[in-house]
Amino acid sequence: MRASGVLMPVSSLPSKYGIGCFSKEALEFVDDLVKAGQSKWQVLPLGPTGYGDSPYQPFSTFAGNPYFIDLESLIDDKLLTKEECESFHWGGSERYVDYGSMYNSRYPVLRKAFERFVPDESYEEFCSREEHWLEDYCLFMAIKNNQNGALWTTWDEKLRTRDEAALEQKKVELKKEIDFYYFLQYEFDKQWRKVKKYANKKGIKIIGDLPIYVALDSADAWSNPKLFQMDEECLPSAVAGCPPDAFSATGQLWGNPLYDWDYHKETGYQWWIRRMRRSYELYDTVRIDHFRGFAEYYAIPAGDDHAMNGKWEPGPGIELFQAMEKALERVDVIAEDLGTLDEKVFDLLDETGYPGMKVLQFAFDSGAQNFYLPHNYKKNCVVYTGTHDNDTTRSWYCSLPDWVRDYTKAYLNNFDRPWDEIPWDFIRAAEGSVADLAIIPIGDLLCCGKEGRINHPSTLGENWKWRMLPGEFNDEIIGRLKWLTDVFGRTLQIPEEEETSKEASADDAEIIDKK
C-alpha cells in the first residue's frame, strides 16, 4: 500500500524546557500528520546521548534519552512543580537546543522528581521485563558518574574487566545513583509508550532508527566485550567508519567497536535478537542504519586519525536476518543502503526483501541512469528528498553547480520557480514516484535553508540542535502536503468505525486530557 510520512526528530519538536520531548506538542504533531494524510512518523535514535550529542553514539542501544522525558507530565504526577522547572536555565533560543544547558539543568531537575518518586507495581513490572539490559546500563551510568564521566576503558582494572567483587561493592556504594537511572528509564519508557499508543490509535506508525554499531563508551561494550573485536585490555583492535565519499574526502572515522561476527554466530545472534525485540517494543518499523555493513563492513585500524586505511571485511549476511525472523513475531525493516554499494549489498537486499532508500539529492549529477532518479525505482523502496545527514533541499539546491541545477529543472519542469519554493518540486517528485513509501524531512516541508540542517557528518559542535518553532507546521503547509498526498494515492485511510467511535480507554482519556 502506498504511504507517506514525515521525518521529525523528537529533539526537534517545539516544547518547553529547551528540547523536544514526549509532551503535548508530540501529540499535536501526530494530529497534524493525520490532517496531512500521513501514516508514518520517522524519528532518529532515542538512546541516551553523550559527548558530541549524537543519537548514533548512545550510552546504550537499549536505553532511552532522559532529555525526552516530559517535565510537565512529572508536574502532573506531583513529582515536580512548575516553579522548580522554570527556575532552571534551558538555553536562550527556541530554535536551537543548548546541550550544555540540557546537561546542567535536566539531570538536576530529574533528581528532584526522583526524590519524590514511590515505586509501584508498574515500575516493578518494567524493571523485571527489561532486566536483561537495565541492570548493566544503570550500573554503568552510576559508575561512570562516580568516575567523573571518564571513558570506561580508563577505569580501574577491576571495574573495567567487571570483577564480580568490585561490581558488588559498587552496587552497594552507588545504590541510590543506580536507582535514579532505573527511574529515568521507567519514565522514558512509560511516556514514550503513551505517545506511540496515541499515534497508533490515530493510524500513525512510528519508524525508529537503529544504529548498526554501539558506541565504545557504552554499557553494551562494557558489559559484553566478547561481542566486539577487542583485545585483552578491552580496547578495540579496529573501529568502524566508511571510506572517502561525498560527505568527506578522507572518509568518516566513527570509532565504534566492530562486532566479532563469529562469536555472534556461535550464540545464535541472541544479542541482536534481544536488540530487535526491544526496538519493536518502541517502534512499528525499524530503519537499520548502514545496512551495507551486514554484507561487508569497513574496518579501520585502531589509532588512525582518518578512515583512508580501512579495508572491507565480510559481515554476517543473510544468516543474521534469518535468525531474527525465526525468533521474532515480525521483522519490519527499512534498510539504509546509502554510501558505497556493490553487488554484495544488492544481493543481501534481494535476499531479505527489505526496502532500501532512494534520496533525491543524490539523483541529478550523473545522467538518466542514476538509480536515485524516480524513473529508475522499483516499488519496494522508500524515497526521501534528503535525510538527517543531508543539507536541506533548499540549501543544497542553491549550492549546486549550474549544470546539475539545469538538469533538475529539466527533470522536474520547474523553470522560473522561486528558490524558496524549490523544495516542493522535490516533495512532489517523491510523492509521485512508484516507491511504496515517501518520507519528507520536516525541514524540507518548511522550506528551511542551511539553518535547518540537522547533522553535518564528520563534524562536532553544531549538530542535532535545530528545532521547529510553535505553529511553524501550519495549516497552509499541512493542507499542501495533504493535497499532494491525495493526488498521488498515499493518503492515510482511517476506517469509518474508528472515525465515529466515541469509546476511549482510561489511558487514552489521560493522553487526551494532557493536550
Side-chain angles (χ1 to χ4, degrees), residues 377-404:
Y377 294 175
K378 298 178 181 178
K379 289 178 61 179
N380 186 34
C381 69
V382 184
V383 59
Y384 296 75
T385 51
T387 75
H388 62 276
D389 282 334
N390 296 108
D391 205 346
T392 64
T393 293
R394 179 179 174 182
S395 179
W396 163 81
Y397 182 83
C398 292
S399 67
L400 289 176
D402 289 343
W403 67 272
V404 179

Side-chain angles (χ1 to χ4, degrees), residues 54-198:
S54 171
Y56 293 89
Q57 296 279 358
F59 287 134
S60 167
T61 190
F62 294 91
N65 193 338
Y67 291 166
F68 297 156
I69 295 172
D70 176 34
L71 300 187
E72 292 183 314
S73 294
L74 298 183
I75 293 172
D76 292 341
D77 292 340
K78 310 301 182 186
L79 297 179
L80 291 172
T81 67
K82 182 179 179 181
E83 292 73 21
E84 285 173 332
C85 294
E86 292 179 346
S87 70
F88 287 88
H89 178 66
W90 302 107
S93 170
E94 282 190 290
R95 175 63 84 192
Y96 298 106
V97 178
D98 181 342
Y99 283 103
S101 295
M102 282 299 102
Y103 182 79
N104 291 324
S105 297
R106 181 66 63 143
Y107 285 100
V109 77
L110 289 172
R111 289 183 188 279
K112 288 181 178 289
F114 168 64
E115 293 292 341
R116 297 166 185 149
F117 174 70
V118 178
D120 57 12
E121 185 177 340
S122 174
Y123 172 81
E124 297 299 337
E125 188 276 331
F126 165 76
C127 293
S128 175
R129 185 181 73 241
E130 306 297 339
E131 193 62 20
H132 68 93
W133 63 267
L134 190 59
E135 181 179 19
D136 280 328
Y137 168 71
C138 295
L139 178 59
F140 172 82
M141 293 304 300
I143 296 174
K144 186 174 181 63
N145 284 351
N146 184 248
Q147 300 285 319
N148 296 315
L151 179 68
W152 70 267
T153 55
T154 68
W155 294 353
D156 176 82
E157 182 181 358
K158 289 186 176 181
L159 293 177
R160 176 164 47 82
T161 58
R162 296 178 58 83
D163 175 79
E164 185 175 346
L167 294 187
E168 289 301 319
Q169 180 180 343
K170 287 297 181 184
K171 287 178 183 179
V172 175
E173 177 186 332
L174 302 175
K175 184 180 186 308
K176 185 174 182 180
E177 188 75 356
I178 293 169
D179 288 346
F180 172 59
Y181 281 96
Y182 270 89
F183 163 74
L184 295 181
Q185 290 309 303
Y186 169 68
E187 287 293 336
F188 171 94
D189 192 85
K190 178 177 72 172
Q191 291 190 14
W192 175 242
R193 285 175 187 268
K194 285 185 177 180
V195 172
K196 182 178 181 295
K197 182 177 182 179
Y198 184 83

Side-chain angles (χ1 to χ4, degrees), residues 5 20 52-53 92 108 111 131 191 203 221 224 227 231 241 254 256 274 294 317 330 337 377 459-460 473 480 491 509:
D53 311 307
R111 289 183 188 279
E131 193 62 20
Q191 291 190 14
N224 294 290
L227 299 175
D231 61 23
W254 302 333
N256 309 74
R274 289 194 297 270
F294 297 106
R330 61 186 176 88
D337 56 340
Y377 294 175
T459 68
L460 286 174
F473 192 35
R480 193 170 183 178
T491 303

Side-chain angles (χ1 to χ4, degrees), residues 209-462:
D209 196 320
L210 188 73
I212 182 174
Y213 296 119
V214 305
L216 175 59
D217 195 15
S218 69
D220 312 287
W222 173 67
S223 62
N224 294 290
K226 289 184 178 180
L227 299 175
F228 306 98
Q229 296 180 28
M230 292 186 175
D231 61 23
E232 293 181 356
E233 298 298 318
C234 295
L235 297 174
S237 55
V239 297
C242 66
D245 59 13
F247 289 122
S248 174
T250 59
Q252 296 179 45
L253 179 62
W254 302 333
N256 309 74
L258 294 167
Y259 296 109
D260 182 340
W261 285 116
D262 289 338
Y263 180 82
H264 283 269
K265 183 176 182 178
E266 290 174 11
T267 63
Y269 301 102
Q270 286 303 307
W271 181 84
W272 272 97
I273 291 168
R274 289 194 297 270
R275 190 183 188 197
M276 290 296 286
R277 183 175 286 118
R278 171 65 173 165
S279 295
Y280 287 119
E281 293 174 4
L282 302 176
Y283 317 117
D284 299 296
T285 301
V286 177
R287 171 194 178 272
I288 299 183
D289 188 54
H290 196 60
F291 186 81
R292 76 140 301 133
F294 297 106
E296 286 185 313
Y297 61 90
Y298 195 64
I300 303 165
D304 279 14
D305 59 2
H306 57 75
M308 299 180 71
N309 296 325
K311 61 179 181 177
W312 292 105
E313 300 285 357
I318 191 63
E319 282 189 3
L320 169 63
F321 300 102
Q322 289 173 335
M324 287 182 189
E325 291 180 3
K326 184 177 180 180
L328 302 174
E329 292 182 5
R330 61 186 176 88
V331 177
D332 188 356
V333 165
I334 295 171
E336 188 273 284
D337 56 340
L338 307 176
T340 305
L341 304 179
D342 58 23
E343 288 304 317
K344 293 179 181 178
V345 184
F346 296 132
D347 289 346
L348 182 58
L349 273 174
D350 288 342
E351 287 182 285
T352 62
Y354 302 152
M357 291 174 56
K358 305 295 184 184
V359 179
L360 288 178
Q361 287 189 26
F362 298 160
F364 299 95
D365 62 356
S366 58
Q369 302 307 311
N370 186 313
F371 57 72
Y372 292 113
L373 285 169
H375 67 262
N376 292 321
Y377 294 175
K378 298 178 181 178
K379 289 178 61 179
N380 186 34
C381 69
V382 184
V383 59
Y384 296 75
T385 51
T387 75
H388 62 276
D389 282 334
N390 296 108
D391 205 346
T392 64
T393 293
R394 179 179 174 182
S395 179
W396 163 81
Y397 182 83
C398 292
S399 67
L400 289 176
D402 289 343
W403 67 272
V404 179
R405 192 181 302 115
D406 288 343
Y407 186 71
T408 70
K409 290 178 180 180
Y411 194 92
L412 301 174
N413 192 29
N414 64 350
F415 298 94
D416 302 321
R417 172 77 81 173
W419 283 33
D420 59 355
E421 283 283 306
I422 286 294
W424 282 98
D425 294 314
F426 291 87
I427 294 169
R428 182 185 181 92
E431 298 286 347
S433 75
V434 299
D436 286 334
L437 176 59
I439 298 289
I440 313 300
I442 188 67
D444 285 350
L445 289 169
L446 303 183
C447 296
C448 293
K450 63 181 180 180
E451 77 284 351
R453 184 165 188 164
I454 299 295
N455 179 48
H456 195 297
S458 299
T459 68
L460 286 174
E462 297 301 323

